[in-house]
Amino acid sequence: MNIIYGGSFNPPTLAHLHIIKTLLKSFKDAKIVVLPVGNDYKKSDLISFEHRFNMLNLLVKPYDSFVSISTLESDRDYMGTLKSLDELKKTYEHIHFVIGSDHLASLKSWISYEKLLKNYPFIVMNRNHYMTQKEAEEMFLDTEHEFIFIDFDMEISSSKIRENIDKHKNYLSKNVFEYIKKEKLYEV
């Protein structure tokens, strides 16, 4: 199984690492492909792909035999998750896609969400019991899908970290924090 874990990772936090560890523990033979969004992804305060990629490498270094970081979305315009997974399917077999339960509510606004749900099983990280699996199933009754729910109760906000790196440095690995300071990232 190959688990695709997408996001902005702006910056990558200990919560992101905890999700990776949880996935590796839950799916023993899995490999994880971290898929950071490219620079053209429309999100405010998004720092360059290069910095996010470098920080992700620092974060997952102890797990690099099980975790890789994709540059797919840095190499082209953003075309949506389905397009990215279809591209990754050319290299990786048995793809599953990770999503936070808080993103399920907006999933119907994603590009080609029906095909995305039909073609790829979703591993739903149920942050702080945001919704039950039954609620998620009811939300997508009209769409073919497969959800695997995993409870996840670690609340760390990348946006709060960006607002005050020093105040929230305990939410970052030491090497990511040092990289941010050295590169003068997220300074106001």
Side-chain angles (χ1 to χ4, degrees), residues 3 20 33 38 41 51 60 63 81-82 86 88 96 98 102 112 126 133 138 146 152 156 161 179:
I3 300 172
I20 289 169
V33 179
Y41 187 76
H51 285 307
V60 303
Y63 304 93
T81 301
L82 176 64
D86 287 346
L88 290 169
H96 286 60
V98 178
D102 52 325
S112 304
N126 195 13
Q133 186 161 359
E138 288 173 1
E146 178 186 344
F152 180 75
I156 294 177
I161 294 169
Y179 181 92

Short mmCIF file of all heavy atoms in Angstrom, two decimals, residues 3 20 33 38 41 51 60 63 81-82 86 88 96 98 102 112 126 133 138 146 152 156 161 179:
data_model
loop_
_atom_site.label_atom_id
_atom_site.label_comp_id
_atom_site.label_asym_id
_atom_site.label_seq_id
_atom_site.Cartn_x
_atom_site.Cartn_y
_atom_site.Cartn_z
N ILE A 3 0.52 5.30 0.63
CA ILE A 3 -0.37 6.30 1.20
C ILE A 3 0.13 7.68 0.78
O ILE A 3 1.27 8.05 1.05
CB ILE A 3 -0.40 6.20 2.74
CG1 ILE A 3 -0.89 4.81 3.15
CG2 ILE A 3 -1.26 7.29 3.33
CD1 ILE A 3 -0.77 4.53 4.64
N ILE A 20 2.08 10.81 10.26
CA ILE A 20 2.93 9.85 9.55
C ILE A 20 3.21 8.63 10.42
O ILE A 20 3.07 7.48 9.98
CB ILE A 20 4.24 10.52 9.07
CG1 ILE A 20 3.93 11.50 7.94
CG2 ILE A 20 5.28 9.49 8.64
CD1 ILE A 20 5.08 12.43 7.57
N VAL A 33 3.96 8.68 0.80
CA VAL A 33 4.46 9.69 -0.12
C VAL A 33 3.84 11.01 0.32
O VAL A 33 2.63 11.20 0.25
CB VAL A 33 4.08 9.38 -1.58
CG1 VAL A 33 4.60 10.48 -2.50
CG2 VAL A 33 4.60 8.01 -1.99
N GLY A 38 2.29 22.88 -4.71
CA GLY A 38 3.26 23.74 -5.39
C GLY A 38 3.05 25.21 -5.05
O GLY A 38 2.12 25.59 -4.35
N TYR A 41 -0.38 27.07 -5.76
CA TYR A 41 -1.58 26.75 -4.99
C TYR A 41 -2.06 28.02 -4.30
O TYR A 41 -1.27 28.74 -3.68
CB TYR A 41 -1.27 25.66 -3.96
CG TYR A 41 -2.48 25.14 -3.24
CD1 TYR A 41 -3.36 24.26 -3.86
CD2 TYR A 41 -2.74 25.53 -1.93
CE1 TYR A 41 -4.47 23.78 -3.19
CE2 TYR A 41 -3.86 25.05 -1.26
CZ TYR A 41 -4.71 24.18 -1.89
OH TYR A 41 -5.82 23.70 -1.24
N HIS A 51 11.55 25.69 0.38
CA HIS A 51 11.69 25.71 1.84
C HIS A 51 10.81 24.64 2.49
O HIS A 51 11.25 23.94 3.41
CB HIS A 51 11.32 27.08 2.41
CG HIS A 51 12.36 28.13 2.19
ND1 HIS A 51 13.68 27.97 2.56
CD2 HIS A 51 12.28 29.35 1.61
CE1 HIS A 51 14.37 29.06 2.24
NE2 HIS A 51 13.54 29.92 1.66
N VAL A 60 11.11 14.26 8.33
CA VAL A 60 10.91 12.82 8.14
C VAL A 60 12.21 12.02 8.03
O VAL A 60 12.17 10.81 7.82
CB VAL A 60 10.01 12.52 6.91
CG1 VAL A 60 8.67 13.22 7.06
CG2 VAL A 60 10.68 12.88 5.61
N TYR A 63 12.58 8.56 9.23
CA TYR A 63 11.65 7.60 8.62
C TYR A 63 11.84 7.49 7.12
O TYR A 63 10.96 6.99 6.42
CB TYR A 63 10.20 8.03 8.93
CG TYR A 63 9.97 8.16 10.41
CD1 TYR A 63 10.13 9.39 11.05
CD2 TYR A 63 9.65 7.05 11.17
CE1 TYR A 63 9.95 9.50 12.41
CE2 TYR A 63 9.47 7.16 12.55
CZ TYR A 63 9.63 8.39 13.15
OH TYR A 63 9.48 8.50 14.51
N THR A 81 -6.32 17.40 -6.80
CA THR A 81 -5.82 16.18 -6.18
C THR A 81 -5.98 14.97 -7.10
O THR A 81 -5.07 14.13 -7.18
CB THR A 81 -6.56 15.95 -4.85
OG1 THR A 81 -6.33 17.09 -4.00
CG2 THR A 81 -6.07 14.70 -4.14
N LEU A 82 -7.10 14.87 -7.78
CA LEU A 82 -7.31 13.72 -8.67
C LEU A 82 -6.20 13.62 -9.71
O LEU A 82 -5.63 12.56 -9.93
CB LEU A 82 -8.68 13.81 -9.36
CG LEU A 82 -8.96 12.70 -10.38
CD1 LEU A 82 -9.02 11.34 -9.72
CD2 LEU A 82 -10.25 13.00 -11.14
N ASP A 86 -3.61 10.55 -10.06
CA ASP A 86 -3.51 9.82 -11.32
C ASP A 86 -2.07 9.78 -11.82
O ASP A 86 -1.61 8.77 -12.37
CB ASP A 86 -4.43 10.44 -12.39
CG ASP A 86 -5.91 10.14 -12.14
OD1 ASP A 86 -6.24 9.25 -11.32
OD2 ASP A 86 -6.74 10.81 -12.79
N LEU A 88 0.64 10.03 -9.85
CA LEU A 88 1.40 9.19 -8.91
C LEU A 88 1.10 7.71 -9.13
O LEU A 88 1.97 6.86 -8.88
CB LEU A 88 1.09 9.60 -7.47
CG LEU A 88 1.66 10.96 -7.07
CD1 LEU A 88 1.09 11.40 -5.73
CD2 LEU A 88 3.18 10.94 -7.03
N HIS A 96 -3.72 4.96 -1.53
CA HIS A 96 -4.74 5.47 -0.62
C HIS A 96 -4.40 6.94 -0.38
O HIS A 96 -3.23 7.31 -0.38
CB HIS A 96 -4.73 4.72 0.71
CG HIS A 96 -5.30 3.34 0.64
ND1 HIS A 96 -4.77 2.36 -0.16
CD2 HIS A 96 -6.36 2.79 1.27
CE1 HIS A 96 -5.47 1.25 -0.01
NE2 HIS A 96 -6.44 1.48 0.85
N VAL A 98 -4.79 10.34 2.13
CA VAL A 98 -5.06 10.80 3.50
C VAL A 98 -5.76 12.16 3.45
O VAL A 98 -5.35 13.05 2.70
CB VAL A 98 -3.76 10.96 4.31
CG1 VAL A 98 -4.04 11.49 5.71
CG2 VAL A 98 -3.02 9.64 4.39
N ASP A 102 -11.89 17.20 8.95
CA ASP A 102 -12.39 18.56 8.81
C ASP A 102 -12.46 18.99 7.34
O ASP A 102 -13.19 19.91 7.00
CB ASP A 102 -11.54 19.55 9.62
CG ASP A 102 -10.05 19.43 9.34
OD1 ASP A 102 -9.57 18.31 9.10
OD2 ASP A 102 -9.37 20.47 9.37
N SER A 112 -13.35 17.53 -9.52
CA SER A 112 -13.70 16.13 -9.84
C SER A 112 -13.76 15.23 -8.61
O SER A 112 -13.25 14.12 -8.61
CB SER A 112 -12.72 15.55 -10.86
OG SER A 112 -12.67 16.33 -12.02
N ASN A 126 -9.43 11.46 11.74
CA ASN A 126 -10.56 12.09 12.43
C ASN A 126 -10.04 12.93 13.59
O ASN A 126 -9.94 12.46 14.72
CB ASN A 126 -11.54 11.02 12.90
CG ASN A 126 -12.88 11.61 13.28
OD1 ASN A 126 -13.16 12.76 12.97
ND2 ASN A 126 -13.69 10.83 13.95
N GLN A 133 -17.81 8.31 11.48
CA GLN A 133 -17.76 7.67 10.17
C GLN A 133 -19.16 7.58 9.58
O GLN A 133 -19.34 7.76 8.38
CB GLN A 133 -17.12 6.28 10.25
CG GLN A 133 -16.95 5.67 8.88
CD GLN A 133 -15.95 4.54 8.83
OE1 GLN A 133 -15.33 4.19 9.82
NE2 GLN A 133 -15.77 3.97 7.66
N GLU A 138 -22.98 9.16 5.39
CA GLU A 138 -24.24 9.79 4.99
C GLU A 138 -24.01 10.99 4.08
O GLU A 138 -24.78 11.24 3.16
CB GLU A 138 -25.03 10.21 6.23
CG GLU A 138 -25.61 9.02 6.99
CD GLU A 138 -26.26 9.39 8.31
OE1 GLU A 138 -26.28 10.60 8.67
OE2 GLU A 138 -26.73 8.47 9.00
N GLU A 146 -14.71 4.81 -0.45
CA GLU A 146 -14.26 3.94 0.64
C GLU A 146 -13.52 4.82 1.65
O GLU A 146 -12.53 5.47 1.30
CB GLU A 146 -13.32 2.85 0.12
CG GLU A 146 -12.80 1.94 1.22
CD GLU A 146 -11.76 0.94 0.73
OE1 GLU A 146 -11.65 0.71 -0.48
OE2 GLU A 146 -11.04 0.40 1.60
N PHE A 152 -7.56 10.74 15.62
CA PHE A 152 -6.32 11.51 15.75
C PHE A 152 -6.61 12.73 16.60
O PHE A 152 -7.40 13.59 16.22
CB PHE A 152 -5.83 11.93 14.34
CG PHE A 152 -4.57 12.72 14.37
CD1 PHE A 152 -3.36 12.11 14.62
CD2 PHE A 152 -4.59 14.09 14.15
CE1 PHE A 152 -2.19 12.84 14.65
CE2 PHE A 152 -3.41 14.83 14.17
CZ PHE A 152 -2.22 14.20 14.42
N ILE A 156 -2.58 20.98 16.46
CA ILE A 156 -1.51 21.95 16.23
C ILE A 156 -1.88 22.73 14.98
O ILE A 156 -2.20 22.13 13.95
CB ILE A 156 -0.14 21.26 16.05
CG1 ILE A 156 0.29 20.57 17.35
CG2 ILE A 156 0.91 22.27 15.61
CD1 ILE A 156 1.60 19.81 17.23
N ILE A 161 1.41 28.87 14.35
CA ILE A 161 2.87 28.80 14.36
C ILE A 161 3.45 29.92 13.49
O ILE A 161 4.39 30.60 13.90
CB ILE A 161 3.35 27.42 13.87
CG1 ILE A 161 2.94 26.34 14.88
CG2 ILE A 161 4.86 27.42 13.65
CD1 ILE A 161 3.14 24.92 14.39
N TYR A 179 15.88 25.56 11.09
CA TYR A 179 15.86 25.91 9.67
C TYR A 179 15.05 27.20 9.46
O TYR A 179 15.49 28.10 8.73
CB TYR A 179 15.25 24.76 8.85
CG TYR A 179 15.22 25.03 7.36
CD1 TYR A 179 16.27 24.63 6.54
CD2 TYR A 179 14.14 25.68 6.77
CE1 TYR A 179 16.23 24.88 5.17
CE2 TYR A 179 14.10 25.93 5.40
CZ TYR A 179 15.15 25.54 4.61
OH TYR A 179 15.12 25.79 3.26
#
